[in-house]
Amino acid sequence: MFSKILTRLISDNRISQSELANKLGTHRQNVYQWVSGKTVPRNDMLSKIADYFEVSIDYLLGKENEQLNN
């Protein structure tokens, strides 16, 4: 679920995986693994992702349907 949500957020915001990695202070390979569903980020990185996209962590994890910025 997380990988689909992250993929949609990246697409909707028209940024690349590399751009997201730079904004989050991580490697592009990490973002690739999250998008492909191979791994899920640690809690501290989930928080950074949620802050960047202005959504809740629960939304990122598929536990909530509403984005904060809607």
Short mmCIF file of all heavy atoms in Angstrom, two decimals:
data_model
loop_
_atom_site.label_atom_id
_atom_site.label_comp_id
_atom_site.label_asym_id
_atom_site.label_seq_id
_atom_site.Cartn_x
_atom_site.Cartn_y
_atom_site.Cartn_z
N MET A 1 0.83 -1.18 0.00
CA MET A 1 0.00 0.00 0.00
C MET A 1 0.88 1.26 0.00
O MET A 1 0.63 2.18 -0.77
CB MET A 1 -0.93 -0.03 1.21
CG MET A 1 -1.87 1.14 1.26
SD MET A 1 -2.96 1.32 -0.14
CE MET A 1 -4.34 0.34 0.38
N PHE A 2 1.91 1.30 0.84
CA PHE A 2 2.78 2.47 0.92
C PHE A 2 3.40 2.78 -0.44
O PHE A 2 3.43 3.95 -0.85
CB PHE A 2 3.88 2.27 1.97
CG PHE A 2 4.91 3.36 1.95
CD1 PHE A 2 4.64 4.60 2.52
CD2 PHE A 2 6.13 3.16 1.33
CE1 PHE A 2 5.58 5.61 2.47
CE2 PHE A 2 7.08 4.17 1.28
CZ PHE A 2 6.79 5.40 1.86
N SER A 3 3.88 1.77 -1.14
CA SER A 3 4.55 2.00 -2.42
C SER A 3 3.61 2.64 -3.43
O SER A 3 4.01 3.55 -4.17
CB SER A 3 5.15 0.71 -2.97
OG SER A 3 4.15 -0.23 -3.25
N LYS A 4 2.35 2.22 -3.47
CA LYS A 4 1.38 2.81 -4.39
C LYS A 4 1.08 4.25 -4.04
O LYS A 4 0.97 5.11 -4.92
CB LYS A 4 0.09 1.98 -4.41
CG LYS A 4 0.25 0.63 -5.05
CD LYS A 4 -1.06 -0.13 -5.04
CE LYS A 4 -0.84 -1.51 -5.64
NZ LYS A 4 -2.07 -2.30 -5.66
N ILE A 5 0.93 4.51 -2.77
CA ILE A 5 0.64 5.88 -2.32
C ILE A 5 1.82 6.79 -2.61
O ILE A 5 1.64 7.90 -3.13
CB ILE A 5 0.28 5.88 -0.82
CG1 ILE A 5 -1.07 5.16 -0.62
CG2 ILE A 5 0.24 7.31 -0.27
CD1 ILE A 5 -1.42 4.86 0.81
N LEU A 6 3.03 6.34 -2.32
CA LEU A 6 4.21 7.15 -2.59
C LEU A 6 4.36 7.40 -4.08
O LEU A 6 4.65 8.53 -4.50
CB LEU A 6 5.47 6.49 -2.03
CG LEU A 6 6.76 7.27 -2.22
CD1 LEU A 6 6.69 8.64 -1.55
CD2 LEU A 6 7.95 6.47 -1.69
N THR A 7 4.15 6.40 -4.89
CA THR A 7 4.23 6.56 -6.34
C THR A 7 3.24 7.61 -6.82
O THR A 7 3.58 8.47 -7.65
CB THR A 7 3.97 5.21 -7.05
OG1 THR A 7 4.96 4.27 -6.62
CG2 THR A 7 4.01 5.35 -8.56
N ARG A 8 2.03 7.56 -6.31
CA ARG A 8 1.01 8.54 -6.70
C ARG A 8 1.40 9.95 -6.26
O ARG A 8 1.26 10.92 -7.02
CB ARG A 8 -0.36 8.17 -6.14
CG ARG A 8 -1.46 9.08 -6.66
CD ARG A 8 -2.86 8.65 -6.24
NE ARG A 8 -3.00 8.75 -4.79
CZ ARG A 8 -3.25 7.70 -3.99
NH1 ARG A 8 -3.39 6.50 -4.49
NH2 ARG A 8 -3.38 7.87 -2.70
N LEU A 9 1.92 10.09 -5.04
CA LEU A 9 2.33 11.41 -4.56
C LEU A 9 3.47 11.98 -5.40
O LEU A 9 3.48 13.17 -5.72
CB LEU A 9 2.75 11.33 -3.08
CG LEU A 9 1.61 11.14 -2.09
CD1 LEU A 9 2.16 10.82 -0.70
CD2 LEU A 9 0.72 12.38 -2.04
N ILE A 10 4.42 11.14 -5.76
CA ILE A 10 5.53 11.58 -6.60
C ILE A 10 5.00 12.04 -7.95
O ILE A 10 5.37 13.11 -8.45
CB ILE A 10 6.57 10.45 -6.76
CG1 ILE A 10 7.32 10.23 -5.45
CG2 ILE A 10 7.55 10.77 -7.90
CD1 ILE A 10 8.19 8.99 -5.42
N SER A 11 4.11 11.27 -8.53
CA SER A 11 3.54 11.61 -9.84
C SER A 11 2.70 12.88 -9.75
O SER A 11 2.84 13.78 -10.59
CB SER A 11 2.70 10.44 -10.34
OG SER A 11 2.05 10.78 -11.53
N ASP A 12 1.82 12.96 -8.77
CA ASP A 12 0.93 14.11 -8.63
C ASP A 12 1.71 15.41 -8.41
O ASP A 12 1.27 16.48 -8.82
CB ASP A 12 -0.03 13.92 -7.46
CG ASP A 12 -1.10 12.87 -7.74
OD1 ASP A 12 -1.21 12.40 -8.90
OD2 ASP A 12 -1.83 12.52 -6.79
N ASN A 13 2.86 15.30 -7.75
CA ASN A 13 3.68 16.48 -7.48
C ASN A 13 4.73 16.74 -8.56
O ASN A 13 5.53 17.66 -8.43
CB ASN A 13 4.33 16.35 -6.10
CG ASN A 13 3.34 16.59 -5.00
OD1 ASN A 13 3.12 17.72 -4.60
ND2 ASN A 13 2.70 15.53 -4.51
N ARG A 14 4.73 15.89 -9.56
CA ARG A 14 5.62 16.04 -10.73
C ARG A 14 7.08 16.23 -10.34
O ARG A 14 7.76 17.15 -10.78
CB ARG A 14 5.15 17.21 -11.60
CG ARG A 14 3.79 16.99 -12.19
CD ARG A 14 3.42 18.11 -13.13
NE ARG A 14 2.14 17.83 -13.76
CZ ARG A 14 1.05 18.55 -13.52
NH1 ARG A 14 1.08 19.57 -12.70
NH2 ARG A 14 -0.08 18.23 -14.13
N ILE A 15 7.54 15.32 -9.47
CA ILE A 15 8.95 15.31 -9.11
C ILE A 15 9.52 13.94 -9.43
O ILE A 15 8.78 12.97 -9.57
CB ILE A 15 9.18 15.65 -7.62
CG1 ILE A 15 8.53 14.61 -6.70
CG2 ILE A 15 8.70 17.04 -7.29
CD1 ILE A 15 8.94 14.74 -5.26
N SER A 16 10.82 13.87 -9.55
CA SER A 16 11.47 12.59 -9.81
C SER A 16 11.85 11.93 -8.48
O SER A 16 11.86 12.58 -7.44
CB SER A 16 12.72 12.79 -10.66
OG SER A 16 13.71 13.47 -9.91
N GLN A 17 12.17 10.66 -8.56
CA GLN A 17 12.64 9.95 -7.37
C GLN A 17 13.94 10.59 -6.87
O GLN A 17 14.14 10.70 -5.66
CB GLN A 17 12.84 8.47 -7.67
CG GLN A 17 11.54 7.74 -7.92
CD GLN A 17 11.75 6.27 -8.21
OE1 GLN A 17 12.80 5.69 -7.92
NE2 GLN A 17 10.74 5.63 -8.80
N SER A 18 14.78 11.02 -7.78
CA SER A 18 16.04 11.67 -7.40
C SER A 18 15.79 12.98 -6.68
O SER A 18 16.44 13.29 -5.68
CB SER A 18 16.92 11.92 -8.62
OG SER A 18 17.33 10.71 -9.18
N GLU A 19 14.83 13.77 -7.17
CA GLU A 19 14.49 15.03 -6.52
C GLU A 19 13.97 14.78 -5.12
O GLU A 19 14.33 15.51 -4.18
CB GLU A 19 13.44 15.79 -7.33
CG GLU A 19 13.95 16.38 -8.62
CD GLU A 19 12.83 17.01 -9.41
OE1 GLU A 19 11.94 16.27 -9.88
OE2 GLU A 19 12.84 18.25 -9.56
N LEU A 20 13.10 13.78 -4.97
CA LEU A 20 12.57 13.46 -3.65
C LEU A 20 13.69 13.04 -2.71
O LEU A 20 13.75 13.50 -1.57
CB LEU A 20 11.50 12.37 -3.73
CG LEU A 20 10.88 11.97 -2.40
CD1 LEU A 20 10.20 13.16 -1.72
CD2 LEU A 20 9.89 10.83 -2.59
N ALA A 21 14.57 12.21 -3.19
CA ALA A 21 15.70 11.77 -2.37
C ALA A 21 16.51 12.97 -1.90
O ALA A 21 16.87 13.06 -0.71
CB ALA A 21 16.58 10.81 -3.15
N ASN A 22 16.78 13.91 -2.79
CA ASN A 22 17.54 15.11 -2.41
C ASN A 22 16.81 15.93 -1.36
O ASN A 22 17.42 16.40 -0.40
CB ASN A 22 17.84 15.98 -3.64
CG ASN A 22 18.88 15.37 -4.54
OD1 ASN A 22 19.70 14.57 -4.12
ND2 ASN A 22 18.83 15.74 -5.80
N LYS A 23 15.51 16.11 -1.53
CA LYS A 23 14.71 16.88 -0.58
C LYS A 23 14.68 16.22 0.80
O LYS A 23 14.64 16.90 1.82
CB LYS A 23 13.28 17.06 -1.09
CG LYS A 23 13.17 17.85 -2.35
CD LYS A 23 13.37 19.31 -2.09
CE LYS A 23 13.09 20.10 -3.37
NZ LYS A 23 13.32 21.52 -3.21
N LEU A 24 14.69 14.88 0.82
CA LEU A 24 14.62 14.14 2.07
C LEU A 24 15.99 13.88 2.70
O LEU A 24 16.07 13.41 3.83
CB LEU A 24 13.91 12.80 1.85
CG LEU A 24 12.46 12.87 1.37
CD1 LEU A 24 11.94 11.47 1.08
CD2 LEU A 24 11.58 13.58 2.39
N GLY A 25 17.05 14.15 1.95
CA GLY A 25 18.39 13.90 2.45
C GLY A 25 18.74 12.42 2.49
O GLY A 25 19.41 11.96 3.42
N THR A 26 18.29 11.70 1.48
CA THR A 26 18.58 10.27 1.41
C THR A 26 19.05 9.93 -0.01
O THR A 26 19.16 10.81 -0.86
CB THR A 26 17.33 9.44 1.79
OG1 THR A 26 17.70 8.07 1.96
CG2 THR A 26 16.21 9.55 0.78
N HIS A 27 19.33 8.68 -0.25
CA HIS A 27 19.82 8.23 -1.55
C HIS A 27 18.65 7.87 -2.45
O HIS A 27 17.62 7.38 -1.99
CB HIS A 27 20.73 7.02 -1.40
CG HIS A 27 21.95 7.30 -0.60
ND1 HIS A 27 23.02 7.99 -1.11
CD2 HIS A 27 22.26 7.02 0.69
CE1 HIS A 27 23.95 8.11 -0.18
NE2 HIS A 27 23.51 7.53 0.93
N ARG A 28 18.83 8.08 -3.76
CA ARG A 28 17.80 7.74 -4.74
C ARG A 28 17.46 6.26 -4.66
O ARG A 28 16.31 5.87 -4.84
CB ARG A 28 18.28 8.09 -6.15
CG ARG A 28 17.19 7.85 -7.20
CD ARG A 28 17.74 7.72 -8.60
NE ARG A 28 18.73 6.65 -8.72
CZ ARG A 28 18.43 5.35 -8.85
NH1 ARG A 28 17.20 4.95 -8.83
NH2 ARG A 28 19.39 4.46 -8.97
N GLN A 29 18.43 5.42 -4.35
CA GLN A 29 18.20 3.99 -4.23
C GLN A 29 17.17 3.67 -3.15
O GLN A 29 16.36 2.76 -3.31
CB GLN A 29 19.52 3.26 -3.95
CG GLN A 29 19.41 1.75 -3.96
CD GLN A 29 19.00 1.18 -5.31
OE1 GLN A 29 19.22 1.77 -6.35
NE2 GLN A 29 18.38 0.02 -5.29
N ASN A 30 17.19 4.43 -2.06
CA ASN A 30 16.18 4.22 -1.01
C ASN A 30 14.78 4.50 -1.54
O ASN A 30 13.85 3.71 -1.32
CB ASN A 30 16.47 5.11 0.20
CG ASN A 30 17.69 4.69 0.95
OD1 ASN A 30 18.09 3.53 0.93
ND2 ASN A 30 18.31 5.63 1.64
N VAL A 31 14.63 5.62 -2.25
CA VAL A 31 13.32 5.96 -2.81
C VAL A 31 12.89 4.89 -3.80
O VAL A 31 11.72 4.46 -3.80
CB VAL A 31 13.36 7.36 -3.47
CG1 VAL A 31 12.02 7.68 -4.12
CG2 VAL A 31 13.71 8.43 -2.44
N TYR A 32 13.80 4.42 -4.64
CA TYR A 32 13.48 3.35 -5.58
C TYR A 32 12.96 2.11 -4.85
O TYR A 32 11.96 1.51 -5.27
CB TYR A 32 14.71 2.99 -6.42
CG TYR A 32 14.50 1.73 -7.23
CD1 TYR A 32 13.76 1.76 -8.42
CD2 TYR A 32 15.00 0.51 -6.79
CE1 TYR A 32 13.55 0.61 -9.15
CE2 TYR A 32 14.79 -0.65 -7.51
CZ TYR A 32 14.06 -0.60 -8.69
OH TYR A 32 13.83 -1.75 -9.40
N GLN A 33 13.61 1.73 -3.76
CA GLN A 33 13.18 0.55 -3.01
C GLN A 33 11.81 0.75 -2.38
O GLN A 33 11.01 -0.17 -2.32
CB GLN A 33 14.22 0.18 -1.96
CG GLN A 33 15.48 -0.39 -2.57
CD GLN A 33 16.50 -0.81 -1.53
OE1 GLN A 33 16.33 -0.58 -0.34
NE2 GLN A 33 17.57 -1.43 -2.01
N TRP A 34 11.52 1.96 -1.92
CA TRP A 34 10.19 2.24 -1.36
C TRP A 34 9.13 2.16 -2.43
O TRP A 34 8.08 1.55 -2.24
CB TRP A 34 10.14 3.62 -0.71
CG TRP A 34 11.15 3.87 0.36
CD1 TRP A 34 11.76 2.93 1.16
CD2 TRP A 34 11.69 5.12 0.73
NE1 TRP A 34 12.64 3.54 2.00
CE2 TRP A 34 12.62 4.89 1.77
CE3 TRP A 34 11.50 6.43 0.30
CZ2 TRP A 34 13.32 5.91 2.38
CZ3 TRP A 34 12.21 7.44 0.90
CH2 TRP A 34 13.10 7.18 1.94
N VAL A 35 9.40 2.77 -3.60
CA VAL A 35 8.43 2.78 -4.70
C VAL A 35 8.20 1.38 -5.24
O VAL A 35 7.07 1.01 -5.59
CB VAL A 35 8.91 3.75 -5.82
CG1 VAL A 35 8.11 3.56 -7.09
CG2 VAL A 35 8.83 5.19 -5.35
N SER A 36 9.23 0.58 -5.28
CA SER A 36 9.09 -0.78 -5.80
C SER A 36 8.49 -1.74 -4.77
O SER A 36 8.20 -2.89 -5.09
CB SER A 36 10.44 -1.31 -6.29
OG SER A 36 11.34 -1.47 -5.20
N GLY A 37 8.33 -1.29 -3.54
CA GLY A 37 7.73 -2.12 -2.50
C GLY A 37 8.70 -3.07 -1.83
O GLY A 37 8.30 -3.95 -1.07
N LYS A 38 10.00 -2.90 -2.10
CA LYS A 38 11.00 -3.79 -1.49
C LYS A 38 11.24 -3.48 -0.02
O LYS A 38 11.53 -4.39 0.76
CB LYS A 38 12.31 -3.69 -2.26
CG LYS A 38 12.21 -4.25 -3.66
CD LYS A 38 13.52 -4.18 -4.39
CE LYS A 38 13.35 -4.74 -5.79
NZ LYS A 38 14.59 -4.74 -6.54
N THR A 39 11.14 -2.20 0.34
CA THR A 39 11.31 -1.80 1.73
C THR A 39 10.32 -0.68 2.05
O THR A 39 9.73 -0.09 1.16
CB THR A 39 12.74 -1.28 2.02
OG1 THR A 39 12.97 -0.10 1.23
CG2 THR A 39 13.79 -2.33 1.74
N VAL A 40 10.17 -0.43 3.33
CA VAL A 40 9.38 0.70 3.84
C VAL A 40 10.33 1.53 4.70
O VAL A 40 11.15 0.98 5.44
CB VAL A 40 8.18 0.20 4.69
CG1 VAL A 40 7.42 1.36 5.30
CG2 VAL A 40 7.27 -0.67 3.85
N PRO A 41 10.26 2.85 4.58
CA PRO A 41 11.18 3.69 5.35
C PRO A 41 10.97 3.57 6.85
O PRO A 41 9.88 3.23 7.32
CB PRO A 41 10.88 5.10 4.87
CG PRO A 41 9.59 5.04 4.16
CD PRO A 41 9.36 3.63 3.75
N ARG A 42 12.03 3.89 7.58
CA ARG A 42 11.95 3.94 9.05
C ARG A 42 11.03 5.08 9.46
O ARG A 42 10.70 5.96 8.67
CB ARG A 42 13.34 4.16 9.65
CG ARG A 42 14.30 3.03 9.39
CD ARG A 42 15.61 3.26 10.10
NE ARG A 42 15.94 4.69 10.20
CZ ARG A 42 17.14 5.20 10.09
NH1 ARG A 42 18.17 4.41 9.89
NH2 ARG A 42 17.35 6.50 10.19
N ASN A 43 10.63 5.07 10.72
CA ASN A 43 9.69 6.06 11.24
C ASN A 43 10.15 7.50 11.04
O ASN A 43 9.35 8.37 10.69
CB ASN A 43 9.40 5.81 12.72
CG ASN A 43 8.56 4.58 12.94
OD1 ASN A 43 7.94 4.06 12.01
ND2 ASN A 43 8.55 4.08 14.15
N ASP A 44 11.45 7.76 11.25
CA ASP A 44 11.93 9.14 11.10
C ASP A 44 11.81 9.60 9.64
O ASP A 44 11.46 10.75 9.37
CB ASP A 44 13.35 9.30 11.62
CG ASP A 44 14.37 8.41 10.90
OD1 ASP A 44 14.02 7.31 10.44
OD2 ASP A 44 15.54 8.84 10.81
N MET A 45 12.03 8.71 8.70
CA MET A 45 11.91 9.06 7.29
C MET A 45 10.44 9.14 6.88
O MET A 45 10.08 9.98 6.06
CB MET A 45 12.67 8.05 6.42
CG MET A 45 12.77 8.48 4.97
SD MET A 45 13.52 10.10 4.68
CE MET A 45 15.23 9.77 5.11
N LEU A 46 9.59 8.29 7.45
CA LEU A 46 8.15 8.40 7.18
C LEU A 46 7.66 9.79 7.57
O LEU A 46 6.86 10.40 6.85
CB LEU A 46 7.37 7.34 7.96
CG LEU A 46 7.27 5.96 7.35
CD1 LEU A 46 6.60 5.00 8.33
CD2 LEU A 46 6.52 5.97 6.04
N SER A 47 8.14 10.28 8.68
CA SER A 47 7.77 11.62 9.13
C SER A 47 8.22 12.69 8.15
O SER A 47 7.46 13.62 7.82
CB SER A 47 8.36 11.87 10.52
OG SER A 47 7.99 13.13 10.99
N LYS A 48 9.43 12.57 7.63
CA LYS A 48 9.94 13.53 6.64
C LYS A 48 9.12 13.49 5.36
O LYS A 48 8.82 14.52 4.77
CB LYS A 48 11.41 13.24 6.31
CG LYS A 48 12.37 13.64 7.38
CD LYS A 48 13.80 13.38 6.91
CE LYS A 48 14.82 13.78 7.94
NZ LYS A 48 16.20 13.57 7.43
N ILE A 49 8.76 12.28 4.92
CA ILE A 49 7.96 12.12 3.70
C ILE A 49 6.59 12.75 3.91
O ILE A 49 6.08 13.49 3.05
CB ILE A 49 7.84 10.64 3.31
CG1 ILE A 49 9.22 10.07 2.96
CG2 ILE A 49 6.86 10.46 2.15
CD1 ILE A 49 9.25 8.55 2.86
N ALA A 50 5.98 12.47 5.05
CA ALA A 50 4.66 13.04 5.35
C ALA A 50 4.72 14.56 5.38
O ALA A 50 3.86 15.24 4.82
CB ALA A 50 4.15 12.49 6.69
N ASP A 51 5.75 15.10 6.01
CA ASP A 51 5.90 16.56 6.06
C ASP A 51 6.09 17.14 4.67
O ASP A 51 5.50 18.15 4.32
CB ASP A 51 7.08 16.96 6.95
CG ASP A 51 6.82 16.74 8.43
OD1 ASP A 51 5.65 16.52 8.82
OD2 ASP A 51 7.80 16.77 9.19
N TYR A 52 6.92 16.50 3.86
CA TYR A 52 7.20 17.01 2.52
C TYR A 52 5.92 17.07 1.68
O TYR A 52 5.66 18.06 1.00
CB TYR A 52 8.26 16.16 1.82
CG TYR A 52 8.52 16.65 0.42
CD1 TYR A 52 9.33 17.75 0.21
CD2 TYR A 52 7.94 16.03 -0.67
CE1 TYR A 52 9.56 18.23 -1.08
CE2 TYR A 52 8.16 16.50 -1.96
CZ TYR A 52 8.97 17.59 -2.15
OH TYR A 52 9.17 18.07 -3.42
N PHE A 53 5.13 16.01 1.72
CA PHE A 53 3.92 15.95 0.89
C PHE A 53 2.69 16.52 1.61
O PHE A 53 1.60 16.53 1.03
CB PHE A 53 3.64 14.51 0.46
CG PHE A 53 4.58 14.00 -0.59
CD1 PHE A 53 5.47 12.97 -0.30
CD2 PHE A 53 4.61 14.55 -1.86
CE1 PHE A 53 6.35 12.49 -1.27
CE2 PHE A 53 5.48 14.08 -2.84
CZ PHE A 53 6.34 13.06 -2.54
N GLU A 54 2.87 16.96 2.84
CA GLU A 54 1.78 17.53 3.64
C GLU A 54 0.61 16.55 3.80
O GLU A 54 -0.55 16.88 3.56
CB GLU A 54 1.31 18.86 3.05
CG GLU A 54 2.38 19.92 3.06
CD GLU A 54 1.93 21.24 2.46
OE1 GLU A 54 0.88 21.28 1.77
OE2 GLU A 54 2.65 22.23 2.68
N VAL A 55 0.97 15.33 4.18
CA VAL A 55 -0.02 14.29 4.47
C VAL A 55 0.34 13.68 5.83
O VAL A 55 1.40 13.93 6.37
CB VAL A 55 -0.03 13.18 3.38
CG1 VAL A 55 -0.42 13.76 2.02
CG2 VAL A 55 1.30 12.47 3.29
N SER A 56 -0.56 12.88 6.35
CA SER A 56 -0.27 12.20 7.62
C SER A 56 0.49 10.90 7.37
O SER A 56 0.44 10.35 6.27
CB SER A 56 -1.56 11.91 8.38
OG SER A 56 -2.30 10.91 7.71
N ILE A 57 1.16 10.43 8.40
CA ILE A 57 1.82 9.13 8.30
C ILE A 57 0.77 8.04 8.09
O ILE A 57 0.98 7.12 7.31
CB ILE A 57 2.69 8.86 9.55
CG1 ILE A 57 3.88 9.83 9.56
CG2 ILE A 57 3.17 7.40 9.57
CD1 ILE A 57 4.73 9.76 10.81
N ASP A 58 -0.37 8.16 8.75
CA ASP A 58 -1.44 7.18 8.55
C ASP A 58 -1.88 7.15 7.10
O ASP A 58 -2.15 6.08 6.55
CB ASP A 58 -2.63 7.48 9.45
CG ASP A 58 -2.42 7.03 10.88
OD1 ASP A 58 -1.48 6.24 11.13
OD2 ASP A 58 -3.19 7.46 11.76
N TYR A 59 -1.94 8.30 6.45
CA TYR A 59 -2.30 8.34 5.03
C TYR A 59 -1.25 7.59 4.20
O TYR A 59 -1.59 6.80 3.34
CB TYR A 59 -2.44 9.78 4.54
CG TYR A 59 -2.72 9.85 3.06
CD1 TYR A 59 -4.01 9.63 2.57
CD2 TYR A 59 -1.70 10.10 2.15
CE1 TYR A 59 -4.26 9.66 1.20
CE2 TYR A 59 -1.95 10.14 0.79
CZ TYR A 59 -3.23 9.92 0.32
OH TYR A 59 -3.48 9.94 -1.02
N LEU A 60 0.03 7.86 4.48
CA LEU A 60 1.11 7.18 3.75
C LEU A 60 1.02 5.67 3.88
O LEU A 60 1.33 4.94 2.94
CB LEU A 60 2.48 7.63 4.26
CG LEU A 60 2.95 9.02 3.87
CD1 LEU A 60 4.27 9.32 4.56
CD2 LEU A 60 3.08 9.15 2.37
N LEU A 61 0.60 5.21 5.05
CA LEU A 61 0.53 3.77 5.31
C LEU A 61 -0.80 3.16 4.90
O LEU A 61 -1.03 1.96 5.10
CB LEU A 61 0.81 3.50 6.79
CG LEU A 61 2.20 3.91 7.26
CD1 LEU A 61 2.34 3.69 8.76
CD2 LEU A 61 3.29 3.15 6.50
N GLY A 62 -1.70 3.98 4.34
CA GLY A 62 -2.98 3.46 3.86
C GLY A 62 -4.01 3.26 4.94
O GLY A 62 -5.01 2.58 4.73
N LYS A 63 -3.80 3.87 6.11
CA LYS A 63 -4.74 3.72 7.22
C LYS A 63 -5.78 4.84 7.25
O LYS A 63 -6.70 4.80 8.03
CB LYS A 63 -3.98 3.72 8.55
CG LYS A 63 -3.06 2.54 8.70
CD LYS A 63 -2.35 2.60 10.02
CE LYS A 63 -1.42 1.41 10.20
NZ LYS A 63 -0.75 1.46 11.51
N GLU A 64 -5.60 5.82 6.40
CA GLU A 64 -6.45 6.99 6.38
C GLU A 64 -6.69 7.37 4.92
O GLU A 64 -5.75 7.32 4.11
CB GLU A 64 -5.71 8.12 7.10
CG GLU A 64 -6.49 9.31 7.48
CD GLU A 64 -5.61 10.27 8.25
OE1 GLU A 64 -4.95 11.10 7.62
OE2 GLU A 64 -5.57 10.17 9.49
N ASN A 65 -7.89 7.77 4.57
CA ASN A 65 -8.19 8.08 3.18
C ASN A 65 -7.96 9.53 2.81
O ASN A 65 -7.78 9.84 1.65
CB ASN A 65 -9.65 7.72 2.87
CG ASN A 65 -9.88 6.23 2.88
OD1 ASN A 65 -8.99 5.47 2.55
ND2 ASN A 65 -11.07 5.82 3.27
N GLU A 66 -7.98 10.41 3.76
CA GLU A 66 -7.90 11.85 3.48
C GLU A 66 -6.49 12.36 3.60
O GLU A 66 -5.79 12.08 4.58
CB GLU A 66 -8.80 12.62 4.45
CG GLU A 66 -10.26 12.33 4.28
CD GLU A 66 -10.84 12.85 2.99
OE1 GLU A 66 -10.45 13.95 2.57
OE2 GLU A 66 -11.67 12.14 2.41
N GLN A 67 -6.07 13.15 2.62
CA GLN A 67 -4.81 13.87 2.72
C GLN A 67 -5.06 15.11 3.56
O GLN A 67 -6.14 15.67 3.55
CB GLN A 67 -4.33 14.30 1.34
CG GLN A 67 -3.96 13.15 0.44
CD GLN A 67 -3.37 13.65 -0.88
OE1 GLN A 67 -2.91 14.76 -0.97
NE2 GLN A 67 -3.41 12.81 -1.87
N LEU A 68 -4.05 15.59 4.25
CA LEU A 68 -4.18 16.78 5.07
C LEU A 68 -4.39 18.03 4.23
O LEU A 68 -5.06 18.94 4.65
CB LEU A 68 -2.93 16.97 5.94
CG LEU A 68 -2.67 15.91 7.00
CD1 LEU A 68 -1.40 16.23 7.75
CD2 LEU A 68 -3.83 15.80 7.96
N ASN A 69 -3.79 18.08 3.06
CA ASN A 69 -3.84 19.29 2.26
C ASN A 69 -5.11 19.39 1.42
O ASN A 69 -5.25 20.30 0.64
CB ASN A 69 -2.60 19.45 1.37
CG ASN A 69 -2.39 18.28 0.44
OD1 ASN A 69 -3.17 17.35 0.43
ND2 ASN A 69 -1.32 18.34 -0.33
N ASN A 70 -6.05 18.48 1.56
CA ASN A 70 -7.33 18.58 0.82
C ASN A 70 -8.33 19.32 1.65
O ASN A 70 -8.44 19.23 2.79
CB ASN A 70 -7.87 17.19 0.49
CG ASN A 70 -7.17 16.59 -0.69
OD1 ASN A 70 -6.44 17.27 -1.40
ND2 ASN A 70 -7.37 15.31 -0.90
#
